[in-house]
Amino acid sequence: MADTENLADKFGKIFNTVKNAGEKIAQAFQENVVGIDTLNSIKSGTFNFDLLEDDVKGIHRRLELDGYSVLGSRLVLDSKNKLMEIKTYSQKGEKNFVNTVSSEVKSVTNIPADVVAEMKAKGRIELSLKFDD
């Protein structure tokens, strides 16, 4: 009987460890609210891919002005949900943050052919955004 109790205790500890790990991961990247008023790449539901770089650089500048170190950004295009999302990861002190800007998209212009092909195949694409300064 003692072995059964020990086994139950062990499962309880494993469950608590897994539960706590998920909470710690969620806390690792806290949502950051930085005022991003407009995206030049979105006009009347149309996303202009050519203007994306300037918008992301603007987000980076705004975060840096507020004292954050920018770690990187990701673009998510989801044709099923008609969504464009820019996630920018940053750090201030020992804390990590994610700033998310999203918009509904009805159409996309000036999108590279390889991105179009992947969107047609998968319905969703995520791109890491890196720029030469």
Side-chain angles (χ1 to χ4, degrees):
M1 186 81 169
D3 289 337
T4 305
E5 291 172 351
N6 287 336
L7 188 59
D9 290 341
K10 288 179 183 180
F11 278 119
K13 287 179 184 178
I14 290 171
F15 175 78
N16 285 335
T17 300
V18 171
K19 179 182 170 201
N20 291 337
E23 290 172 1
K24 287 180 181 180
I25 289 170
Q27 291 171 353
F29 278 100
Q30 299 174 5
E31 185 68 27
N32 187 19
V33 180
V34 173
I36 306 298
D37 298 330
T38 60
L39 294 175
N40 293 323
S41 59
I42 301 285
K43 295 291 182 221
S44 302
T46 299
F47 173 54
N48 185 340
F49 199 87
D50 283 346
L51 300 177
L52 173 66
E53 182 175 344
D54 289 338
D55 282 344
V56 174
K57 285 182 177 180
I59 293 169
H60 288 192
R61 275 191 300 275
R62 177 62 191 259
L63 288 168
E64 289 167 350
L65 285 173
D66 289 343
Y68 295 87
S69 296
V70 175
L71 304 173
S73 290
R74 292 191 60 80
L75 170 70
V76 177
L77 288 174
D78 187 332
S79 62
K80 179 181 177 185
N81 295 315
K82 297 182 180 178
L83 176 73
M84 183 280 303
E85 184 174 73
I86 300 169
K87 291 186 177 204
T88 302
Y89 301 91
S90 60
Q91 185 175 38
K92 192 172 193 178
E94 295 295 316
K95 292 188 177 184
N96 295 319
F97 299 91
V98 61
N99 183 286
T100 304
V101 179
S102 61
S103 180
E104 184 177 336
V105 174
K106 297 174 186 169
S107 63
V108 180
T109 61
N110 301 317
I111 190 166
D114 56 334
V115 175
V116 171
E118 189 167 342
M119 285 286 296
K120 285 182 180 178
K122 297 180 181 178
R124 176 183 169 99
I125 188 167
E126 291 190 35
L127 302 171
S128 292
L129 305 172
K130 294 183 182 183
F131 307 109
D132 298 327
D133 288 330

